[in-house]
Amino acid sequence: MSVFLLLLLLVSVCPQLCSAFTANVPQPYPYGLSYHIDCGGPTNTTDPYNTTWLSDRFFTGGNTAIVSEPLQFRHPQEKTLRYFPLSSGKKNCYVVPDLPDGRYYVRTFTVYDNYDGKSHSPSFDASVEGTLVFSWRSPWPEDLARSGSYSDLFVFVSDGRADICFYSIATDPPVVGSLQLVQVDPSSYDSATLGRDYILVNYGRFTCGTDQWGPGFSNDTDRFGRSWQSDKDFRVTDPKSPPNYFPTKLYETAVEVGGDGVLEYQLSVDAKLDYLLWFHFAEIGAGVTRARQRVFDVVINGKKVNTIDIYKQVGSFAAYNWHYTAKNLSSTVLNVKLVSVTGAALICGLENYALVPVDLSTVPEQVIAMRALKDSLRVPDRMGWNGDPCAPTNWDAWEGVSCQPNNGKTALVIYQIDLGSQGLKGYISDQIGLMSNLVSLNLSSNSLGGTIPSGLGQKSLTKLDLSYNQLTGSIPDSLASSNLHLVLLNDNLLEGQVPEKLYSIGVHGGAIDVSGNKDLCGVSPLSECPLFWEHGGLSKKGKVAIGLSSLFVFCLLLLVVYFFCIRRGRHDYDFAPPHDLMSLAAKRNRYQRQKSLMLLEMESQHAKALPSPIAPH
């Protein structure tokens, strides 16, 4: 059986093929957003293929390094790397912000090359958008550790940011050499059927009949950024249009098996997953001019799944692709055969993608709350609070955080936060009110200031320990309306009246401790609160009393203004006594004079009427 290449070297054939493929190229390409990040690189650079690589950015922690033998690498972005020691936490991420909703091609370059001089390639996992996609285990194969490897996938991003995270195994520091992110057509690779529930992880992307080519390997372009690997190491025997935008070069060469031969590929896979196989064909043989001249079967793991007649489907010199999903695998080898029926079997390219189910992620509101808490509590880097708080489910959640699926098993929720004695020095963000599933919160023995957020009164909360901090202000009434069974607020700087309903927790079988707050009052053994004083301020009764007193004073002032200003009439600015008062005084004087005259007259008449005491009878 002979294997030969159909290379388009004939002058009469090549122009026809190239023009046929080029005619299908849509202009302009509608998806232009891309990032090419040189991890560990201090400045922007341009590679030999005119791609601009950005200096290192969007990382949450880690340090930079240079490979031990930089001269063996072709491009600047392959010579530097970022590694994440345990001092940066077990989980670290690149978080690419401000992305429109859609599908993205993500490619990483991973290299060790003994950058640390320890001759120990690290063990770690990598996730994209909260789903575990790559695993590296020490020791790596020698050529892989020395030269590095590219890995890529397709993923949907819906929250405006892409999280590419790395998780340390044991004490090994994860490494990454470069990171590429390119927006692609959201309809590509049959997403209408697959939906957004799968990440397509590349397990092999082959070009048949030529050497490896594509971005980073040749000047040939691929709008998605895909590189195409030669199929020669995987052979057992020897068009460019939306939504997939396959490059023209892919269909310019092919592998053909003459006679009744069989073209066979053996692909390494993970038997626990399903695989999307994408076949690329083009009838580039000048001798095939009609249907049924070249017909062959596609056999996968011994099962015939399709019969291909390229000319019947698309005619000559046109790209044709077909895909198939292989399920329920029982082996780590996926066997693909092209068996000739009429003429010789032919193939231009083959792609193999693992269908990795998208993992559950934390509900968006709680992600917002946890990021706000990370900032307000000043959580140290060593705790690894990066990426999704709960995902991937294969990894531990953020240190001190416990998660579980929600009732519908559609997302992850946070039910416990335990950060006691962690040296935290910030405050409790108001966003904690978004933690609607929080059952237990322990922030004791830190140096937290500020007030207790009223949002902590969720119905779900049963245990609250904020003891031994520097919290100020009053105890919010919302805590009294929750279902708390344990409340420890002792040894803070709280003030005001303790809500009676909250303190009654101890009477109903729970426990509460508010001691060590010298300005709290209202319940035994605390002192009584001053009259009209509660919660560190005036009570409602006090406010009512002040209001009534103010009203009384205001009315009294109005009365004074009425008598001394309005009743003065025209002589508002005459400081003499008012006219009415003068008239009254004059009448009173006349009355007194008349009364005096009347008294004198009466006395005079009385004197005339009385007899003399010495006169004779």
Side-chain angles (χ1 to χ4, degrees), residues 17-72:
L17 175 65
C18 294
S19 61
F21 289 145
T22 306
N24 292 327
V25 179
Q27 296 293 337
Y29 181 64
Y31 307 99
L33 178 63
S34 64
Y35 287 97
H36 298 78
I37 302 172
D38 178 7
C39 302
T43 60
N44 294 353
T45 58
T46 301
D47 66 17
Y49 305 112
N50 207 32
T51 298
T52 299
W53 289 83
L54 303 176
S55 60
D56 204 0
R57 62 193 65 189
F58 304 141
F59 50 84
T60 62
N63 301 317
T64 62
I66 299 176
V67 295
S68 64
E69 298 180 76
L71 294 180
Q72 72 164 321

Side-chain angles (χ1 to χ4, degrees), residues 586-602:
K587 291 179 180 180
R588 185 176 297 170
N589 290 338
R590 286 196 299 271
Y591 170 76
Q592 292 292 339
R593 288 196 298 271
Q594 291 175 357
K595 181 178 178 181
S596 299
L597 292 174
M598 290 177 65
L599 289 174
L600 289 174
E601 186 177 354
M602 289 176 64

Side-chain angles (χ1 to χ4, degrees), residues 165-185:
C165 298
F166 306 89
Y167 188 79
S168 172
I169 304 298
T171 60
D172 291 352
V175 293
V176 60
S178 68
L179 172 63
Q180 298 168 257
L181 186 141
V182 181
Q183 186 182 17
V184 301
D185 193 317

Side-chain angles (χ1 to χ4, degrees), residues 393-412:
T393 54
N394 313 67
W395 301 352
D396 294 332
W398 285 2
E399 185 174 343
V401 177
S402 298
C403 308
Q404 63 186 11
N406 61 4
N407 292 334
K409 310 294 183 183
T410 59
L412 298 171

Side-chain angles (χ1 to χ4, degrees), residues 3 119 143 147 197 215 233 288 297 392 407 502 507 531:
V3 179
S119 299
D143 60 334
S147 303
D197 296 332
D233 293 332
V288 178
D297 293 332
N407 292 334
L502 178 65
V507 180
L531 186 62

Side-chain angles (χ1 to χ4, degrees), residues 434-454:
L434 298 175
M435 308 291 291
S436 57
N437 301 93
L438 191 61
V439 175
S440 176
L441 175 63
N442 176 18
L443 299 176
S444 63
S445 300
N446 288 293
S447 300
L448 301 178
T451 60
I452 300 175
S454 59

